[in-house]
Amino acid sequence: MDFSCYHCNTVTKLDVKIEVSYFSCPNCATIYSRNDSNDFVFKERHKKVDYNNAFSIGQKAEFHGSVYTIIGFLVKSGDYNIRWIEYVLQNDKEEFLYLSESSGNFILLEQIEFEKKVGNHPLTVDYLDKTYDRFDYYYPKLDYTAGFFDFNVLNKIELIEYINPPFILSFEKFGKEQTAFYGKHISRSAVKKAFNTSAIPSKSEIGMVEPFFINVRNLVLTFCAVGFLIIFTHWYLNQDRVEQQVLNTSIPFENYTSKDFVSPSFELKGSSAPLQISVSSNVNNSWANVQIALVNENTNEEIYASKDVEYYHGYTDGENWTEGSTSENFNICGVGAGKYHLTITPSKAPEDVVNSLISVKANWNAPSNRNIYMVFIFMAIVSVGMYYWSKYFENKRWGEY
């Protein structure tokens, strides 16, 4: 259809498959309607508003495997200075879709049959086994329009909206007539792909039916399943495990000044666990040290560790003080099954002539539950955090409109 605007002489050409009853010039926002003589006559003129239109008349997009063309759009505003744009799209089969955009959020809608009247604004409505909560109802103002329409764009309608993110039920009520639309939030990437463009308005607010980026319920269920698997695996791998002492000896310093102490070989069976080593010595205002090598006799792999035992005390400025301890504990973590021995190099302060021994104990522990606790604490923190984040998200959604 070709239409030459009587006001600005702009010619708008577009192949439309509707019985056009209203036309609005994209250039000057003059609105025309078809009269009884089938002629288009002037109705009114709107001032072209400053709105960042994502798309234009005649632009094509692919939705649901079909190519649609924008034949018109309407810029509307509601309470709290909210403004949005509604695009009317039609394909070659004369099927319609409606794309709504507000603050960079998009909703794709289609007209549906809905018998129940919502003029009394019930708090909830049901559709397709879902319950929708009343979001708002108001009389939107038409700020600007452009394109071809088969309905009266100047009718002052009441808009009643119900949401169950990411879905929406939208009702336009004019007198006793009610038109229902069913829609769903559509991601910005999907819109870009449909229109084959990257030029869309930036997102500035939470969308009316924009879903939270993660399903908190599914996240908690997943964490519960992971937690069960962790507990079961931990039990299964360690059901026969008992703590194993692999060394308990006292080493005289004087016997090992020029050589290392080598422990008897020991064999470890089961899953990896820490090797806890306890060192003690009768140090008094002095220090002692052990250097330990855990040697895997199957692979010749060596793991080294060193620990100082220091204990000092005195009397200064009228106060007694102490520093350090005569015993220390440390772990060699993640020691797996295999045959091992320990090589120990003891030493002490040269001036210490009283201390003669250093005691070393080594136990291969039952696996530490610390990692399990840490995983459970992490999952609990993430779940609680996501729950309250989603609550904040919902509160902001309902508070922004």
Side-chain angles (χ1 to χ4, degrees):
M1 180 178 181
D2 297 356
F3 193 99
S4 179
C5 178
Y6 307 153
H7 176 70
C8 66
N9 295 321
T10 299
V11 177
T12 304
K13 298 181 179 180
L14 190 64
D15 181 20
V16 294
K17 293 175 173 56
I18 59 172
E19 186 66 32
V20 178
S21 57
Y22 277 78
F23 170 79
S24 181
C25 178
N27 183 59
C28 66
T30 301
I31 299 176
Y32 302 88
S33 69
R34 195 187 295 269
N35 62 14
D36 294 337
S37 301
N38 212 29
D39 297 321
F40 282 94
V41 295
F42 171 83
K43 291 295 291 184
E44 60 181 71
R45 182 176 300 116
H46 286 189
K47 182 179 179 180
K48 198 167 184 177
V49 298
D50 183 19
Y51 190 86
N52 184 17
N53 296 2
F55 312 111
S56 57
I57 303 297
Q59 196 164 349
K60 298 183 181 297
E62 184 175 344
F63 293 106
H64 310 321
S66 181
V67 176
Y68 287 81
T69 303
I70 296 177
I71 64 173
F73 63 82
L74 306 95
V75 179
K76 297 180 179 181
S77 59
D79 299 333
Y80 314 111
N81 296 318
I82 295 171
R83 179 173 281 171
W84 69 95
I85 187 166
E86 299 172 359
Y87 296 95
V88 181
L89 301 93
Q90 187 186 43
N91 63 9
D92 291 338
K93 299 178 182 178
E94 303 183 18
E95 297 169 330
F96 287 93
L97 283 178
Y98 304 89
L99 182 67
S100 173
E101 180 270 318
S102 177
S103 301
N105 298 286
F106 293 87
I107 304 173
L108 191 63
L109 305 101
E110 58 184 351
Q111 188 173 338
I112 61 170
E113 296 293 330
F114 197 92
E115 295 182 359
K116 181 180 178 180
K117 300 298 182 182
V118 298
N120 60 343
H121 314 136
L123 293 177
T124 61
V125 294
D126 295 326
Y127 182 70
L128 296 180
D129 298 325
K130 287 185 175 66
T131 298
Y132 292 76
D133 297 313
R134 188 185 70 201
F135 188 76
D136 205 353
Y137 58 93
Y138 48 92
Y139 292 89
K141 176 179 173 290
L142 179 65
D143 293 334
Y144 172 63
T145 185
F148 302 89
F149 306 93
D150 61 354
F151 58 90
N152 187 348
V153 296
L154 300 175
N155 280 344
K156 189 172 180 61
I157 63 169
E158 181 183 20
L159 185 61
I160 311 168
E161 295 168 322
Y162 292 83
I163 66 171
N164 184 338
F167 302 101
I168 182 173
L169 283 174
S170 180
F171 300 91
E172 294 183 356
K173 189 173 180 297
F174 179 69
K176 295 183 179 181
E177 297 181 7
Q178 173 181 287
T179 306
F181 300 88
Y182 174 67
K184 182 180 180 181
H185 172 86
I186 180 171
S187 69
R188 293 169 56 81
S189 59
V191 172
K192 291 177 182 179
K193 181 178 179 181
F195 284 91
N196 192 26
T197 183
S198 60
I200 63 174
S202 59
K203 186 176 180 298
S204 59
E205 294 178 354
I206 293 175
M208 184 189 304
V209 288
E210 178 186 357
F212 189 55
F213 73 95
I214 193 170
N215 188 309
V216 178
R217 181 177 179 272
N218 289 346
L219 175 69
V220 172
L221 291 176
T222 300
F223 279 171
C224 288
V226 171
F228 173 79
L229 290 175
I230 290 174
I231 292 174
F232 176 80
T233 303
H234 182 77
W235 168 81
Y236 180 79
L237 293 176
N238 301 284
Q239 56 183 327
D240 298 325
R241 177 186 295 278
V242 292
E243 186 173 342
Q244 181 178 346
Q245 187 175 78
V246 299
L247 181 66
N248 185 1
T249 188
S250 294
I251 304 173
F253 289 111
E254 62 180 1
N255 294 345
Y256 294 95
T257 56
S258 59
K259 64 178 181 178
D260 297 332
F261 172 85
V262 179
S263 74
S265 298
F266 52 89
E267 187 170 3
L268 306 179
K269 297 179 180 180
S271 60
S272 297
L275 182 68
Q276 185 182 65
I277 300 175
S278 300
V279 181
S280 63
S281 185
N282 190 26
V283 290
N284 186 8
N285 281 324
S286 185
W287 60 267
N289 173 270
V290 288
Q291 297 184 30
I292 298 177
L294 175 66
V295 182
N296 188 322
E297 297 181 357
N298 299 322
T299 64
N300 291 324
E301 180 182 2
E302 299 181 358
I303 301 175
Y304 291 92
S306 178
K307 178 61 69 173
D308 291 323
V309 181
E310 300 175 286
Y311 178 69
Y312 297 91
H313 61 90
Y315 183 82
T316 305
D317 297 331
E319 292 185 357
N320 291 311
W321 58 269
T322 62
E323 181 180 347
S325 174
T326 59
S327 61
E328 296 288 346
N329 299 312
F330 63 97
N331 289 340
I332 298 177
C333 297
V335 179
K339 190 174 183 180
Y340 297 88
H341 69 261
L342 291 168
T343 301
I344 302 173
T345 304
S347 62
K348 66 173 182 174
E351 66 274 12
D352 188 353
V353 296
V354 177
N355 188 18
S356 60
L357 298 173
I358 188 166
S359 298
V360 180
K361 295 180 182 180
N363 294 317
W364 195 49
N365 292 339
S368 172
N369 293 325
R370 180 175 178 271
N371 290 338
I372 295 178
Y373 295 148
M374 293 298 293
V375 172
F376 274 85
I377 291 172
F378 170 77
M379 293 192 297
I381 291 174
V382 171
S383 298
V384 172
M386 286 298 173
Y387 172 78
Y388 282 104
W389 192 356
S390 68
K391 286 296 182 184
Y392 170 80
F393 186 89
E394 284 301 315
N395 291 337
K396 198 157 180 63
R397 180 206 309 280
W398 288 84
E400 283 186 344
Y401 289 88

